[in-house]
PDB file of all heavy atoms in Angstrom:
ATOM      1  N   ALA A 103      -0.916  36.297  15.303  1.00  0.00           N
ATOM      2  CA  ALA A 103      -1.832  37.259  15.914  1.00  0.00           C
ATOM      3  C   ALA A 103      -3.256  36.715  15.931  1.00  0.00           C
ATOM      4  O   ALA A 103      -3.955  36.779  16.952  1.00  0.00           O
ATOM      5  CB  ALA A 103      -1.780  38.584  15.163  1.00  0.00           C
ATOM      6  N   LEU A 104      -3.688  36.160  14.811  1.00  0.00           N
ATOM      7  CA  LEU A 104      -5.055  35.661  14.707  1.00  0.00           C
ATOM      8  C   LEU A 104      -5.304  34.512  15.682  1.00  0.00           C
ATOM      9  O   LEU A 104      -6.381  34.402  16.272  1.00  0.00           O
ATOM     10  CB  LEU A 104      -5.338  35.217  13.272  1.00  0.00           C
ATOM     11  CG  LEU A 104      -6.803  34.979  12.918  1.00  0.00           C
ATOM     12  CD1 LEU A 104      -7.633  36.233  13.132  1.00  0.00           C
ATOM     13  CD2 LEU A 104      -6.935  34.484  11.490  1.00  0.00           C
ATOM     14  N   ARG A 105      -4.297  33.689  15.901  1.00  0.00           N
ATOM     15  CA  ARG A 105      -4.450  32.573  16.840  1.00  0.00           C
ATOM     16  C   ARG A 105      -4.743  33.061  18.249  1.00  0.00           C
ATOM     17  O   ARG A 105      -5.385  32.362  19.035  1.00  0.00           O
ATOM     18  CB  ARG A 105      -3.176  31.714  16.866  1.00  0.00           C
ATOM     19  CG  ARG A 105      -2.943  30.879  15.629  1.00  0.00           C
ATOM     20  CD  ARG A 105      -1.872  29.822  15.850  1.00  0.00           C
ATOM     21  NE  ARG A 105      -0.617  30.366  16.342  1.00  0.00           N
ATOM     22  CZ  ARG A 105      -0.132  30.136  17.563  1.00  0.00           C
ATOM     23  NH1 ARG A 105      -0.798  29.396  18.425  1.00  0.00           N
ATOM     24  NH2 ARG A 105       1.025  30.659  17.919  1.00  0.00           N
ATOM     25  N   PHE A 106      -4.273  34.263  18.576  1.00  0.00           N
ATOM     26  CA  PHE A 106      -4.471  34.800  19.919  1.00  0.00           C
ATOM     27  C   PHE A 106      -5.605  35.816  19.990  1.00  0.00           C
ATOM     28  O   PHE A 106      -5.726  36.554  20.966  1.00  0.00           O
ATOM     29  CB  PHE A 106      -3.165  35.424  20.420  1.00  0.00           C
ATOM     30  CG  PHE A 106      -2.114  34.401  20.738  1.00  0.00           C
ATOM     31  CD1 PHE A 106      -1.070  34.169  19.856  1.00  0.00           C
ATOM     32  CD2 PHE A 106      -2.186  33.637  21.891  1.00  0.00           C
ATOM     33  CE1 PHE A 106      -0.111  33.207  20.125  1.00  0.00           C
ATOM     34  CE2 PHE A 106      -1.234  32.676  22.177  1.00  0.00           C
ATOM     35  CZ  PHE A 106      -0.192  32.462  21.299  1.00  0.00           C
ATOM     36  N   GLY A 107      -6.449  35.861  18.960  1.00  0.00           N
ATOM     37  CA  GLY A 107      -7.632  36.696  19.008  1.00  0.00           C
ATOM     38  C   GLY A 107      -7.461  38.085  18.444  1.00  0.00           C
ATOM     39  O   GLY A 107      -8.382  38.894  18.501  1.00  0.00           O
ATOM     40  N   VAL A 108      -6.279  38.404  17.900  1.00  0.00           N
ATOM     41  CA  VAL A 108      -6.048  39.715  17.296  1.00  0.00           C
ATOM     42  C   VAL A 108      -6.457  39.628  15.826  1.00  0.00           C
ATOM     43  O   VAL A 108      -5.801  38.952  15.037  1.00  0.00           O
ATOM     44  CB  VAL A 108      -4.576  40.145  17.422  1.00  0.00           C
ATOM     45  CG1 VAL A 108      -4.333  41.465  16.689  1.00  0.00           C
ATOM     46  CG2 VAL A 108      -4.189  40.277  18.891  1.00  0.00           C
ATOM     47  N   THR A 109      -7.530  40.315  15.462  1.00  0.00           N
ATOM     48  CA  THR A 109      -8.017  40.235  14.083  1.00  0.00           C
ATOM     49  C   THR A 109      -7.545  41.401  13.226  1.00  0.00           C
ATOM     50  O   THR A 109      -7.682  41.371  12.013  1.00  0.00           O
ATOM     51  CB  THR A 109      -9.556  40.184  14.060  1.00  0.00           C
ATOM     52  OG1 THR A 109     -10.077  41.362  14.686  1.00  0.00           O
ATOM     53  CG2 THR A 109     -10.063  38.949  14.789  1.00  0.00           C
ATOM     54  N   THR A 110      -6.992  42.454  13.863  1.00  0.00           N
ATOM     55  CA  THR A 110      -6.492  43.611  13.128  1.00  0.00           C
ATOM     56  C   THR A 110      -5.188  44.085  13.750  1.00  0.00           C
ATOM     57  O   THR A 110      -5.092  44.230  14.972  1.00  0.00           O
ATOM     58  CB  THR A 110      -7.503  44.769  13.149  1.00  0.00           C
ATOM     59  OG1 THR A 110      -8.711  44.346  12.519  1.00  0.00           O
ATOM     60  CG2 THR A 110      -6.964  45.992  12.416  1.00  0.00           C
ATOM     61  N   GLU A 111      -4.195  44.343  12.907  1.00  0.00           N
ATOM     62  CA  GLU A 111      -2.924  44.896  13.358  1.00  0.00           C
ATOM     63  C   GLU A 111      -2.687  46.240  12.692  1.00  0.00           C
ATOM     64  O   GLU A 111      -2.911  46.396  11.489  1.00  0.00           O
ATOM     65  CB  GLU A 111      -1.770  43.957  13.015  1.00  0.00           C
ATOM     66  CG  GLU A 111      -1.765  42.667  13.803  1.00  0.00           C
ATOM     67  CD  GLU A 111      -0.486  41.885  13.606  1.00  0.00           C
ATOM     68  OE1 GLU A 111       0.065  41.890  12.487  1.00  0.00           O
ATOM     69  OE2 GLU A 111      -0.034  41.261  14.569  1.00  0.00           O
ATOM     70  N   LEU A 112      -2.229  47.214  13.484  1.00  0.00           N
ATOM     71  CA  LEU A 112      -1.829  48.519  12.963  1.00  0.00           C
ATOM     72  C   LEU A 112      -0.309  48.549  12.931  1.00  0.00           C
ATOM     73  O   LEU A 112       0.348  48.637  13.974  1.00  0.00           O
ATOM     74  CB  LEU A 112      -2.382  49.649  13.826  1.00  0.00           C
ATOM     75  CG  LEU A 112      -3.899  49.658  14.040  1.00  0.00           C
ATOM     76  CD1 LEU A 112      -4.312  50.909  14.806  1.00  0.00           C
ATOM     77  CD2 LEU A 112      -4.648  49.562  12.714  1.00  0.00           C
ATOM     78  N   ASP A 113       0.239  48.461  11.735  1.00  0.00           N
ATOM     79  CA  ASP A 113       1.680  48.383  11.545  1.00  0.00           C
ATOM     80  C   ASP A 113       2.269  49.791  11.503  1.00  0.00           C
ATOM     81  O   ASP A 113       1.736  50.676  10.846  1.00  0.00           O
ATOM     82  CB  ASP A 113       1.966  47.630  10.246  1.00  0.00           C
ATOM     83  CG  ASP A 113       3.437  47.530   9.970  1.00  0.00           C
ATOM     84  OD1 ASP A 113       4.092  46.655  10.553  1.00  0.00           O
ATOM     85  OD2 ASP A 113       3.943  48.337   9.163  1.00  0.00           O
ATOM     86  N   MET A 114       3.400  49.982  12.182  1.00  0.00           N
ATOM     87  CA  MET A 114       3.968  51.315  12.321  1.00  0.00           C
ATOM     88  C   MET A 114       5.219  51.561  11.486  1.00  0.00           C
ATOM     89  O   MET A 114       5.841  52.608  11.605  1.00  0.00           O
ATOM     90  CB  MET A 114       4.260  51.601  13.796  1.00  0.00           C
ATOM     91  CG  MET A 114       3.004  51.727  14.614  1.00  0.00           C
ATOM     92  SD  MET A 114       1.938  53.070  14.015  1.00  0.00           S
ATOM     93  CE  MET A 114       0.405  52.685  14.824  1.00  0.00           C
ATOM     94  N   PHE A 115       5.584  50.617  10.673  1.00  0.00           N
ATOM     95  CA  PHE A 115       6.691  50.835   9.728  1.00  0.00           C
ATOM     96  C   PHE A 115       6.749  49.612   8.826  1.00  0.00           C
ATOM     97  O   PHE A 115       6.915  48.500   9.308  1.00  0.00           O
ATOM     98  CB  PHE A 115       8.026  50.999  10.463  1.00  0.00           C
ATOM     99  CG  PHE A 115       9.050  51.763   9.658  1.00  0.00           C
ATOM    100  CD1 PHE A 115       9.365  53.073   9.975  1.00  0.00           C
ATOM    101  CD2 PHE A 115       9.682  51.180   8.564  1.00  0.00           C
ATOM    102  CE1 PHE A 115      10.306  53.793   9.236  1.00  0.00           C
ATOM    103  CE2 PHE A 115      10.611  51.877   7.819  1.00  0.00           C
ATOM    104  CZ  PHE A 115      10.925  53.195   8.159  1.00  0.00           C
ATOM    105  N   SER A 116       6.574  49.800   7.537  1.00  0.00           N
ATOM    106  CA  SER A 116       6.490  48.653   6.636  1.00  0.00           C
ATOM    107  C   SER A 116       7.104  48.936   5.286  1.00  0.00           C
ATOM    108  O   SER A 116       7.236  50.093   4.878  1.00  0.00           O
ATOM    109  CB  SER A 116       5.023  48.267   6.392  1.00  0.00           C
ATOM    110  OG  SER A 116       4.665  47.110   7.074  1.00  0.00           O
ATOM    111  N   ASP A 117       7.437  47.858   4.614  1.00  0.00           N
ATOM    112  CA  ASP A 117       7.847  47.919   3.217  1.00  0.00           C
ATOM    113  C   ASP A 117       6.603  48.240   2.388  1.00  0.00           C
ATOM    114  O   ASP A 117       5.638  47.470   2.399  1.00  0.00           O
ATOM    115  CB  ASP A 117       8.431  46.557   2.817  1.00  0.00           C
ATOM    116  CG  ASP A 117       8.810  46.487   1.350  1.00  0.00           C
ATOM    117  OD1 ASP A 117       8.559  47.459   0.598  1.00  0.00           O
ATOM    118  OD2 ASP A 117       9.365  45.442   0.949  1.00  0.00           O
ATOM    119  N   PRO A 118       6.566  49.355   1.690  1.00  0.00           N
ATOM    120  CA  PRO A 118       5.366  49.725   0.933  1.00  0.00           C
ATOM    121  C   PRO A 118       4.937  48.680  -0.093  1.00  0.00           C
ATOM    122  O   PRO A 118       3.759  48.646  -0.477  1.00  0.00           O
ATOM    123  CB  PRO A 118       5.770  51.034   0.244  1.00  0.00           C
ATOM    124  CG  PRO A 118       6.844  51.602   1.106  1.00  0.00           C
ATOM    125  CD  PRO A 118       7.603  50.404   1.627  1.00  0.00           C
TER     126      PRO A 118
END
Side-chain angles (χ1 to χ4, degrees):
L104 194 59
R105 288 194 306 112
F106 289 102
V108 176
T109 59
T110 299
E111 291 190 324
L112 305 185
D113 179 81
M114 292 300 165
F115 204 105
S116 254
D117 176 356

